[in-house]
Amino acid sequence: DSLDPALIRPGRFDKQMAVPMPEREDREKIIEIHCRGKKIAEDVDFGELATMTVGFSGASLEALMNEAAFVAVSNGHQVIQMEDIDHAFYKMVMKGDRKDDQSHRDKEELKIVAWHEASHALATKLYTEDNVPKVTIVSSTSGAGGVTFRNPKEMHLLSKKYIEGIIKVMYAGRAGEKCFLGSDDMITTGASSDIKQASEIIKEYISVYGMNEKYGLINLSTFSTIENNQIIEEAASISKKLYSDVEKDIMNYRDVLAEIVEELLKNESIDEKALDDILTKHGIVIKSKNLD
């Protein structure tokens, strides 16, 4: 993509090959390759790692295992353990290291973060078949107060229902804050990045995917006469409807969220098995397949 156009005209470098991201089985084999020569603990499951690393390239997988080796050394471990890989995974995804000392954090703010992340996790389970390998309220040096790790189900085509579900997942953090705080006046800036991502998806939903009833099967970028104001008006309508839906569901499952939040405040993190156990206890059907 950085070659001079003169080099790729016919007769020169005119053959272009797309190399797709590795799928699950490919990632597992790549991880095995990059673990050669490294001492790996027996509890490390390469299949689980392959499932966790959806969207990782071969180079990213190599960087993950190399980083895990550094983390293991810094932790004084003789072999690379799963917790070392988790730490390295967190560091790569969050683009910053985790802050192990959380004692300085404001307790009320910590509760807001817990409700925010718990709501993302619940919404993922309600609206999608995606996995949630871990939810944590441990802050990062990059500035994030917590994170819900979501592993999308590997699909080449995304349905309208799934796209709307993902938008709801992004809005769930804000809905969770309101559920806890009880008022729109008390909501925080914590959902800013979620709103930005949701806005980008809604724009494509309307202007590229042809999934909007008002404009139909039209790619709006083809027409110079379409005003941004028209798209914004329709995007706002879709946004309000989807947020209203997720807000109702979050309120309906307040007791479930409170239990997830309690676990987060107690242990700082919760894995998928513990999360699924809480949801199953409350009669929520789990759509995603367990990572194991």
Side-chain angles (χ1 to χ4, degrees), residues 12-76:
R12 295 187 178 178
F13 295 106
D14 55 348
K15 179 74 71 176
Q16 298 186 38
M17 298 177 64
V19 180
M21 289 293 185
E23 296 188 356
R24 186 188 178 285
E25 291 184 4
D26 301 323
R27 291 196 301 275
E28 184 172 351
K29 293 176 181 177
I30 292 170
I31 291 169
E32 289 177 2
I33 291 172
H34 293 306
C35 284
R36 290 174 185 170
K38 295 182 176 70
K39 295 181 179 179
I40 309 294
E42 292 182 0
D43 67 332
V44 174
D45 186 336
F46 291 160
E48 180 181 342
L49 289 181
T51 304
M52 285 175 55
T53 50
V54 175
F56 274 51
S57 66
S60 297
L61 294 171
E62 180 182 14
L64 173 66
M65 296 315 301
N66 287 341
E67 182 63 34
F70 285 121
V71 172
V73 171
S74 64
N75 287 338

Side-chain angles (χ1 to χ4, degrees), residues 113-166:
V113 172
W115 277 85
H116 184 110
E117 298 304 336
S119 298
H120 278 314
L122 174 61
T124 302
K125 292 292 185 176
L126 290 177
Y127 306 129
T128 77
E129 296 180 24
D130 297 347
N131 285 107
V132 182
K134 180 175 288 189
V135 185
T136 181
I137 56 173
V138 176
S139 60
S140 166
T141 54
S142 65
V147 62
T148 298
F149 292 106
R150 181 177 61 83
N151 283 338
K153 180 181 177 182
E154 295 196 59
M155 298 179 288
H156 298 292
L157 298 174
L158 304 180
S159 68
K160 178 179 179 180
K161 181 179 180 181
Y162 179 78
I163 292 172
E164 290 180 352
I166 290 301

